[in-house]
Amino acid sequence: MTQDAMIDEWYPVGLVSQLDSFGRKTALMGEPIDVASDADGNARVTANGRTLPVCVRYGHVWSSLGQPQKELFAIPEADQPGRRFVDVGVVRVRCSPLRAVENFLDIAHFPFVHTDILGSEPHTEVQNYKVEIREDADEVWATQVKFYQPQAARSASGGITTEYMYRVPAPTCSVLYKTCPPRPGEWDVITLFVQPLAEDLCDVWPWMALFDDESSMTDLIHFQQTIFLQDRSILENQIPRLLPLDPGMEIPTRADLTSVAYRRWLKRHGYTYGAQLVAQ
Amino acid sequence: MKLYNYILSPSCYKVRLMAALIGVRLELRPVDFHPGGEHRGPELMALNPAGSIPILEDGDLVLTESSAILVYLAAKAAPEWLGSGKAEEAARVQQWLSFSGRLTASLGGARLHEMLLRPGDIGAFQAQGIAALRELEAGLFEQGLRGQRFLAADRPTVADIACFPYVALAPDGGVSLDPYPAIRLWSRAIRALDGFIEMPGIHRLHELKPEPHIEPGEA
Ligand SMILES: N[C@H](CCC(=O)N[C@@H](CS)C(=O)NCC(=O)O)C(=O)O
Ligand SMILES: [Fe+2]
């Protein structure tokens, strides 16, 4: 069924901090897998007795059912001193893994879904920004995205105009860079790592690398969980459940330019696990 | 008053909502429930051997049952939320306060399973949740026949606050609220109360928001 290019990609399958020798039973693209630590404490992922490729990075264990052609994408900020690294924890969502990423890329929903935190009425306008598929890196990028936010981060005191950059380095992962209230000149990094369980079911592992010396770790986790849980109920009600890759099914507005580029990029690579290809 | 709190916990939200509705200030102590499991750690287990939240501390008093916490807040700041005290009404308040524990076990269990991957028998959680919703629907319908909009009276009481969160969040656990018109009306009545606050998954009434700005030509 899944002779899909996505088979050779890396996916998050667990938190490094929660690895144990008993193992965690989960799934990857419909196949049951087991994530455990071996006798030496190293992460080990198996599918039906077969040992799968493993990589440990950004607080998570990553694996693949196929043969990854590349190393996991780089996030240089993950090695920058002074940042706090936040394992937000898994949240299961009954939606296509691609839908989860697409929603993350969409800023127009902020005032309506994250009211009084990431957006507020009447500040609903999305200003012009730049979207490109960077051929050298083979990633989707949106830059110069500006938006008025009442409470942009746990560390923000009051409303500010926030600037964002979005990056899609892998079909089910997105990295967002946003204005860092306590450290102008640096970007806070907020990621969404999505584990595809089935075409319409995923486990989402948000992770962050922030400059914030004030907030407690629990406060940082709760801030991001609040936001993601507001998205969850929207994601579970999207129709169609799979992400349509054919143009014309949903009419794009300016805010959706990133989504259009993301879909085009998915289609170009044949990344179609969780996608709907034929208009119904 | 200090509340050991988790923003995604419907039981903690009961306490925050009650406090907001009656103007009580709470000091919030965030608990890393997920992914940290802090409620099962030594500090919180010493306060509450049941290993659950919410926990409310007020001086020497430590309360670990949300219904007791609601009663405490109301008795201190807004006794009208305890009901009039007439026999039948007092009994109804107690009836629904106890009933709320079934919502926690069923709909709450389904939500933890579906959302945070907590192990358990999802079919049983959902079936028991649906049974509880039917009972609540019937109770609210009968209240309507008596001319009363809330569970125990024609005004909201602690019983409504105890039952509202897990019901409103039923869809998080894969249980639809579509078949229950009386529950939906009641939920609107609660969300319309002065001082109502939201939690993720429970929205304010859209009518109470400022009018959205519609771009010309937008579908
Ligand atoms: N004592 C009950 C417990 C409420 C309850 O079940 N709380 C959940 C969080 S919403 C909890 O702490 N569960 C413990 C666990 O699942 O580990 C109450 O106050 O109503
Ligand atoms: Fe969102």
Side-chain angles (χ1 to χ4, degrees), chain B residues 29 39-40 49 64 70 89 91 98 100 105 113 140-141 150 155 168 173 176 189 211:
Chain B
R29 150 67 162 89
H39 58 298
R40 300 277 171 85
T64 61
L70 298 182
E89 190 176 324
S98 297
S100 70
H113 184 278
L140 284 165
F141 179 76
F150 293 92
R155 55 145 299 136
S176 168
E211 284 298 312

Side-chain angles (χ1 to χ4, degrees), chain A residues 62 102 238 240:
Chain A
W62 299 74
E102 192 223 23
Q238 277 176 336

Side-chain angles (χ1 to χ4, degrees), chain A residues 103 109-110 114 231:
Chain A
N103 171 74
H109 77 279
F110 286 179
H114 309 297
D231 290 312

Side-chain angles (χ1 to χ4, degrees), chain B residues 9-11 33 39-40 51-54 64-66 104 112 118 166:
Chain B
S9 151
S11 301
F33 183 91
H39 58 298
R40 300 277 171 85
S52 62
I53 48 174
T64 61
E65 290 296 337
S66 54
T104 309
L112 282 175
R118 190 63 73 79
Y166 283 102

Side-chain angles (χ1 to χ4, degrees), chain B:
Chain B
M1 270 187 269
K2 176 151 119 188
L3 176 68
Y4 289 77
N5 179 53
Y6 176 43
I7 39 119
L8 301 185
S9 151
S11 301
C12 295
Y13 168 65
K14 295 178 190 180
V15 181
R16 301 196 303 273
L17 175 59
M18 187 77 234
L21 290 169
I22 64 180
V24 168
R25 265 190 51 84
L26 295 172
E27 179 199 335
L28 297 181
R29 150 67 162 89
V31 175
D32 181 9
F33 183 91
H34 177 79
E38 190 188 356
H39 58 298
R40 300 277 171 85
E43 184 194 343
L44 267 72
M45 286 297 279
L47 267 179
N48 178 15
S52 62
I53 48 174
I55 304 171
L56 186 86
E57 270 183 338
D58 191 19
D60 289 340
L61 182 68
V62 177
L63 298 172
T64 61
E65 290 296 337
S66 54
S67 293
I69 300 174
L70 298 182
V71 167
Y72 182 63
L73 296 184
K76 281 195 90 152
E80 63 279 15
W81 282 80
L82 299 172
S84 66
K86 285 194 215 100
E88 196 178 317
E89 190 176 324
R92 280 215 179 89
V93 169
Q94 291 304 321
Q95 173 76 22
W96 292 115
L97 284 179
S98 297
F99 173 87
S100 70
R102 276 172 55 200
L103 297 171
T104 309
S106 57
L107 296 174
R111 181 171 177 270
L112 282 175
H113 184 278
E114 292 295 278
M115 204 166 91
L116 304 183
L117 317 192
R118 190 63 73 79
D121 180 347
I122 182 64
F125 288 143
Q126 290 176 336
Q128 284 154 12
I130 289 167
L133 286 174
R134 288 189 181 162
E135 201 173 323
L136 184 70
E137 174 75 12
L140 284 165
F141 179 76
E142 283 160 21
Q143 280 294 91
L145 295 180
R146 293 179 200 108
Q148 306 197 333
R149 283 169 302 154
F150 293 92
L151 277 172
D154 195 34
R155 55 145 299 136
T157 64
V158 286
D160 296 284
I161 305 307
C163 292
F164 170 71
Y166 283 102
V167 170
L169 293 167
D172 277 351
V175 175
S176 168
L177 290 173
D178 290 349
Y180 311 109
I183 290 179
R184 289 205 308 277
L185 268 177
W186 168 74
S187 164
R188 288 178 69 86
I190 293 174
R191 289 181 297 147
L193 294 172
D194 270 347
F196 178 83
I197 54 167
E198 306 176 282
M199 75 165 269
I202 302 185
H203 312 287
R204 66 187 89 172
L205 282 183
H206 202 261
E207 289 79 342
L208 300 181
K209 289 184 181 178
E211 284 298 312
H213 172 74
I214 297 171
E215 297 278 346
E218 206 170 272

